Amino acid sequence: MKVDLAAWETLESHRVATNGIELRVVEHGAGPLVVLCHGFPELGFSWRHQVFALADAGYRVIAPDMRGYGGSSRPSAIEDYDVLTICADLVGLLNAVGADDAVFIGHDWGAAVVWQLALVYPDRVRAVAGLSVPPAPRAPVPPLGILRSRLGDSFYMSWFQQPGVADAALAQDVRWTLLNNETPSPQALARRPSGEPPRPPWLSEDELQVFVDAFEQTGFSGGLNYYRNIDRNWELTAPLDGHVITQPSLFLTGSNDAVRSFMPADNLAAVLADQREHIVVDGAGHWIQQERPDAVNEALVKFLDSI
């Protein structure tokens, strides 16, 4: 079920006060609550195909622009983007809409957040699903050192660390940045050809423009600040070492997702006590809920209906 831009624009958005900021959210449907959390560099709009499909299946769906993105607040301090703060945003969102709990579904950084949310606020998470980024046991040492030793200083998560550097490089040509299919790096930018990368077939020109307009207005610093808290997140979550996610869970990824090369999902049983499925969509890449909406929607509805 692909949803065109005109259908998305029929949905009203509003801002919700939570945890000292405001999140812009789109809400659709009625029934048990499902919250969809996007990653980098995305928006609540990234879930457009799922919002309608899940609402049609009998669920109340909320898709926020996460802290730092789109129409939501964008605090300037890097420390305002640690994972516990983002989790508190989502709990405040539940409070604001009068919900005791919800099923949380995340993609990319949104997946990292919802896995953590299930551990930190287990009573507020009825079930949890992550796309592309799997949960993993706590690393024995701060993660950035591991990433640098394995993948080098030009690996995108390492390159993102210095404030202002990647921010300016990515914002220089927002359209090119969003179309670039290579992992962001100084090398990728240095060999940037004069023409722009091709637009993927799953993204219309009008849909692409939604993302371009948003990031031309906001820049990329809000999203980059999530990466700048990786080691801080490791420190803040030390009390949860050894804890497992007990809620019903689902992990879904694409066979061609580049994240699989450095974040393999080969130890899910160590962290997911009630894993319902581990789905790999053949031929799908990283932006899986936009690339393969029918497969993702079918898996999510099946998972939700099983709870």
Side-chain angles (χ1 to χ4, degrees), residues 138-149:
R138 176 179 167 82
V141 296
L144 278 177
I146 298 174
L147 290 171
R148 285 194 169 104
S149 66

Side-chain angles (χ1 to χ4, degrees), residues 249-260:
S249 61
L250 164 74
F251 178 64
L252 187 151
T253 189
S255 65
N256 296 337
D257 192 332
V259 172
R260 299 182 77 201

Side-chain angles (χ1 to χ4, degrees), residues 35-285:
V35 180
L36 304 174
C37 301
H38 68 80
F40 176 86
E42 297 185 271
L43 301 164
F45 177 68
S46 302
W47 295 104
R48 57 198 175 280
H49 307 306
Q50 287 68 49
V51 166
F52 283 88
L54 299 187
D56 288 347
Y59 295 92
R60 176 189 182 191
V61 187
I62 294 180
D65 288 347
M66 300 291 280
R67 173 187 290 246
Y69 290 91
S72 294
S73 299
R74 303 188 303 278
S76 58
I78 292 173
E79 295 78 11
D80 288 337
Y81 292 84
D82 71 78
V83 71
L84 297 186
T85 297
I86 307 300
C87 287
D89 291 349
L90 297 175
V91 170
L93 175 60
L94 291 184
N95 295 339
V97 301
D100 293 329
D101 59 20
V103 178
F104 285 87
I105 301 171
H107 171 252
D108 186 79
W109 257 109
V113 169
V114 299
W115 296 129
Q116 199 66 61
L117 183 71
L119 290 172
V120 181
Y121 296 98
D123 293 341
R124 310 303 298 271
V125 179
R126 187 151 37 89
V128 59
L131 281 58
S132 298
V133 172
R138 176 179 167 82
V141 296
L144 278 177
I146 298 174
L147 290 171
R148 285 194 169 104
S149 66
R150 292 179 179 174
L151 301 167
D153 288 337
S154 62
F155 180 62
Y156 76 101
M157 292 189 190
S158 303
W159 179 53
F160 285 173
Q161 295 306 308
Q162 187 173 348
V165 175
D167 317 51
L170 298 178
Q172 182 178 352
D173 186 338
V174 168
R175 184 181 172 92
W176 189 93
T177 293
L178 295 173
L179 287 174
N180 176 37
N181 199 37
E182 285 191 67
T183 302
S185 69
Q187 290 82 357
L189 292 171
R191 61 176 176 265
R192 178 167 58 189
S194 56
E196 69 179 30
R199 176 172 50 80
W202 45 265
L203 186 69
S204 73
E205 183 62 37
D206 287 343
E207 290 171 327
L208 171 61
Q209 197 60 47
V210 172
F211 292 104
V212 171
D213 290 346
F215 284 99
E216 284 185 341
Q217 179 179 352
T218 67
F220 294 90
S221 295
L224 291 169
N225 284 338
Y226 286 62
Y227 293 91
R228 292 167 183 154
N229 279 280
I230 288 176
D231 279 355
R232 186 162 177 260
N233 292 343
W234 181 83
E235 296 170 359
L236 290 171
T237 58
L240 297 171
D241 187 16
H243 290 210
V244 299
I245 294 170
T246 59
Q247 300 92 327
S249 61
L250 164 74
F251 178 64
L252 187 151
T253 189
S255 65
N256 296 337
D257 192 332
V259 172
R260 299 182 77 201
S261 66
F262 58 90
M263 296 183 71
D266 54 8
N267 204 12
L268 296 180
V271 287
L272 299 178
D274 186 9
Q275 180 188 348
R276 301 295 172 91
E277 283 193 277
H278 175 186
I279 298 173
V280 179
V281 179
D282 187 49

